[in-house]
């Protein structure tokens, strides 16, 4: 058993890890995820089978191959939840982990290690290197310091560097990507999302769950109630919608208020891991009187009518035996309703609080009752994902910094200077040439003597 | 002055200035010996940049919110970003070639906004509730800036491809830093006298790559044929500036996407919902991540990363406009109703 274990450990280390840490694989994965993501934006997602059968027939197949059968077999109707898409994401996570541990952490250690160059020929391999007869290590140190280098200085050697964070950046990026992926998986397993729509005054228990991970029960308190105290819409003077408001209370099973807040779009209510968002609205009912009848309430139903405005309507009987009546239609909560007769002809409009004569009766509209559309969500992974987001932003910014290094050696009347950077070649070339230029303008001296009497100051400061 | 009149005026001036600037840059590329053209081009870009900034400022004053509510405003904001990043890239590279590719892009965007968009789509409109948020300003403005930056960066990659067509080339500049070493094909010890003094900081306008061989006789370095710096050539400069600009656009895109995610989570409870626009932002991000990694991959040397960046140019455009043309999803502005 132990040997088998050992064998697998060995196999993992020598075969699997290097394969996973392969950059070509990483690039292919990134591009593959990109390409498969495109399919989900081109093919409609989450429609019924009938929809795909109607739009992607067998004959003639779109582009000669894209049929509804292929779509449903491959899961192209829900790309981002197919096993193969999730497998790609998990594989990406695995390469990220492998890469960070086997390549990048060692590379960072290597980058932090440095040594002085003590041979002129060491400078020859650097693209940006020069041999001067003027200038001194001190003046070089001063120039580098002005450019925010950290300087190490000993006898006739000098080493300077800046931008080491640029080496740390990618590691932070990769670790934060891992955090985000893990957080997303955790959230998918434990979170849930529910949609509820209720009119003002109603109390409900969260029950219309539309999405949930296998372990979501732990997130949904069974004894919690929500009451919609009031729902309303503010309109702009031009009649457009300004904002939606729901005045909500969270209640325990005895209907004691635990929390109270008026929410609107972009400002949800949070309670113990649950978040209630304002996401939708509708018209629930209309209250009216016919002649001197008591106040009656008609449920408004959403009507599918072309155009972008939503409309709700209800049938109001105008005869006691319901043999005659009118349609009341409303598009918003501003209080205007249209009245249509049985044949569908518009006969009148009426405002709330007003009356009108139809079919020989007086119809008085008391009020139009709106209902709020709430999205209720629990996602315990949010803190992990947000931490990942924060680190990712930090990491990508750090990754912009170029890590620059400069070496110098003063020997036999010559000043050898060389440097390199990893990212900003052009800017670094300019910086180094600038320095060389300034050194070049210094008076020619016997610099070999000077090199032995270096001030200790620079050494101390670094 | 009336704000609306001012806007119309600036709208036309921006377009005209960018058109002329484009011709100047092209002229300067075709006839590098004509003096002043590079300075004129840069001046044109600065003027256009300021005109557009004023135009957007006037809108902000007039409408009372950050001017990113419709396609017209976003196109002008994009152009403002492109001209800004152009100035950054030009001062980094000191090459007039930058303007030869960025000016037509900037001109094209203003032309589309000013000439082809119907008047109804040009006027400022009130914001729908979902867009009334500071997160929106963060998210949309950073996204637009990242588009502008990535577009300029990948255009420079296209310029690099044009300059190096038919050549094999080794890249310098990547996060692992393989580019700092001397190439064997070039002499270790430069035999031709190369003056450092004359090559740097001379003409701020371009031609960094042309080593000035005449003025360096007095230079201390040139007199002894000793170790001297090996300078980047035109192709290498273009490649490196393209890499740096994309390297700037990538963090912007990352921050923009995250701001969008956080905003979506605050507004309707999900930081990611696979909406087409969101998905295309992710696709863009993945393509440019692949580009950054291709530069440090052995098998991907030479022109191939630049080809990937060129693909990135198309992808950014699809992300910015193409998805809206599909006309679905949260980001068609006003999904709530
Ligand atoms: C979504 C996934 C990934 C993102 C967002 C990402 C991001 C980055 C960024 C921004 C850099 C800095 C690039 C530069 O400055 O040019 C980088 C470098 C790097 N990445 Fe990734 N990466 C991802 C996946 C991977 C994977 C899967 C691997 C390994 C197979 C990998 C290996 C590397 C290496 C080796 C470096 C250079 C390391 C260094 O400079 O210290 N990356 N990555």
């Amino acid at each position: 058993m132990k040997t088998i274990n050992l064998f697998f450990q060995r196999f993992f280390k020598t075969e699997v890890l290097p394969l996973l840490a392969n950059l070509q694989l990483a690039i292919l994965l990134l591009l593959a995820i990109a390409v498969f993501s495109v399919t989900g934006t081109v093919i409609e997602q989450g429609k019924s089978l009938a929809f795909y059968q109607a739009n992607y027939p067998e004959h003639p197949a779109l582009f000669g191959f894209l049929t509804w059968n292929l779509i449903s077999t491959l899961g192209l109707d829900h790309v981002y939840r197919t096993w193969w898409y999730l497998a790609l994401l998990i594989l990406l996570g695995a390469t990220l982990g492998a890469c960070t541990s086997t390549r990048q952490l060692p590379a960072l250690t290597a980058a932090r290690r440095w040594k002085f160059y003590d041979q002129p020929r060491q400078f020859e391999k650097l693209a940006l290197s020069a041999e001067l007869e003027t200038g001194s290590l001190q003046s070089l140190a001063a120039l580098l310091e002005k450019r925010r280098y950290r300087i190490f200085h000993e006898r006739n050697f000098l080493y300077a560097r800046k931008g080491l964070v640029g080496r740390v950046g990618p590691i932070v990026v990769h670790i934060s990507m891992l955090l985000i992926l893990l957080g997303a998986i955790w959230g998918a397993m434990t979170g849930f999302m529910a949609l509820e729509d209720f009119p003002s005054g109603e109390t409900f228990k969260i029950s219309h769950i539309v999405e949930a991970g296998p372990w979501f029960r732990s997130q949904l308190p069974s004894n919690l109630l929500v009451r919609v105290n009031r729902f309303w819409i503010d309109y702009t003077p031009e009649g457009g919608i300004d904002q939606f408001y729901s005045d909500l209370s969270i209640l325990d099973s005895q209907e004691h208020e635990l929390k109270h807040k008026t929410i609107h779009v972009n400002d949800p209510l949070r309670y113990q891991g649950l978040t209630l968002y304002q996401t939708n609205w509708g018209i629930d009912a209309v209250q009216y009187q016919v002649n001197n009848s008591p106040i009656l309430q008609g449920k408004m139903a959403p009507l599918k009518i072309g155009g972008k405005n939503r409309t709700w309507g209800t049938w109001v009987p105008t005869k006691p035996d319901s043999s005659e009546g009118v349609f009341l239609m409303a598009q918003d909560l501003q209080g205007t309703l249209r009245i249509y007769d049985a044949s569908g002809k518009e006969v009148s409009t009426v405002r709330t609080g007003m009356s009108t004569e139809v079919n020989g009766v007086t119809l008085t509209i008391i009020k139009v009752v709106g209902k709020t559309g709430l999205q209720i969500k629990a996602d315990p992974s949010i803190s992990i994902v947000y931490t990942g987001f924060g680190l990712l932003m930090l990491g990508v910014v750090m990754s912009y910094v170029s890590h620059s290094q400069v070496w110098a050696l003063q020997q036999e009347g010559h000043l050898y200077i060389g440097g390199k950077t990893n990212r900003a070649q052009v800017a670094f070339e300019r910086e180094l040439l600038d320095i060389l230029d300034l050194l070049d303008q210094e008076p020619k001296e016997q610099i070999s003597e000077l090199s032995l009497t270096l001030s200790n100051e620079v050494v101390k400061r670094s | 002055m009336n704000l609306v009149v001012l806007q119309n005026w600036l709208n036309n001036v921006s377009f005209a200035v960018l058109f002329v600037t484009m011709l100047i840059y092209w002229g300067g590329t075709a006839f590098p010996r004509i003096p002043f053209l590079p300075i004129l081009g840069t001046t044109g870009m600065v003027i256009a940049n300021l005109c557009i900034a004023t135009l957007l400022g006037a809108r902000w004053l007039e409408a009372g919110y950050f001017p990113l509510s419709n396609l017209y405003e976003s196109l002008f904001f994009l152009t403002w970003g492109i001209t800004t990043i152009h100035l950054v890239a030009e001062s980094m590279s000191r090459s007039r070639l930058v303007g030869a590719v960025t000016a037509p892009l900037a001109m094209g965007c203003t032309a589309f906004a000013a000439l082809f968009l119907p008047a109804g789509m040009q006027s400022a409109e009130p914001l729908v509730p979902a867009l009334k948020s500071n997160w929106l300003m963060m998210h949309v403005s950073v996204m637009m800036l990242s588009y502008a930056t990535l577009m300029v960066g990948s255009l420079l990659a296209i310029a690099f491809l044009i300059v190096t067509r038919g050549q094999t080339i080794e890249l310098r500049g990547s996060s692992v830093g393989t580019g700092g070493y001397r190439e064997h094909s070039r002499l270790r010890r430069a035999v031709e006298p190369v003056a450092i003094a004359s090559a740097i900081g001379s003409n701020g306008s371009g031609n960094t790559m042309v080593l000035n061989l005449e003025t360096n006789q007095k230079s201390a370095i040139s007199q002894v044929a000793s170790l001297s710096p090996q300078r980047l050539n035109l192709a290498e400069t273009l490649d490196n500036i393209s890499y740096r600009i994309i390297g700037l656009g990538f963090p912007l895109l990352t921050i923009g996407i995250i701001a969008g995610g956080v905003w979506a989570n605050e507004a309707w409870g999900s930081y990611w919902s696979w909406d087409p626009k969101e998905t295309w932002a992710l696709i863009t991000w993945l393509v440019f991540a692949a580009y950054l990694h291709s530069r440090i991959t052995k098998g991907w040397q030479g022109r191939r990363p630049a080809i990937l960046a060129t693909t990135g140019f198309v992808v950014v455009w699809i992300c910015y406009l193409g998805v809206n043309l599909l006309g679905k999803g949260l980001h068609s502005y006003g999904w709530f109703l």
Side-chain angles (χ1 to χ4, degrees), chain A residues 20-23 26 30 92 95-96 99 103-104 166-167 170 173-174 177 396 399 423, chain B residues 174-176 243 250 285-286 289 292-293 296:
Chain A
L20 281 178
N22 183 334
L23 260 172
L30 291 172
L92 182 71
T95 63
L96 267 170
C99 221
R103 284 162 162 261
Q104 296 200 275
R167 296 277 183 186
V173 170
H174 294 142
M177 280 307 298
V396 285
S399 300
R423 298 190 176 99
Chain B
S174 71
S175 68
V176 289
Y243 168 56
F250 190 74
W285 190 75
L286 290 169
L292 290 178
H293 289 89
I296 49 176

Side-chain angles (χ1 to χ4, degrees), chain A residues 123-124 126-131 417-419 432, chain B residues 182 227-230:
Chain A
F123 289 83
E124 287 175 5
L126 295 171
L128 285 175
S129 53
E131 187 180 336
I417 300 178
L432 204 68
Chain B
R182 261 168 215 268
L227 194 62
S228 62
Q230 171 193 312

Side-chain angles (χ1 to χ4, degrees), chain A residues 126 270 375 377 420 422, chain B residues 132 174 181-182 266 268-269:
Chain A
L126 295 171
R270 294 174 204 279
Q375 176 178 308
K377 195 164 156 122
K420 61 173 183 165
N422 62 343
Chain B
K132 284 180 186 158
S174 71
Y181 300 104
R182 261 168 215 268
E266 301 306 306
W268 54 84

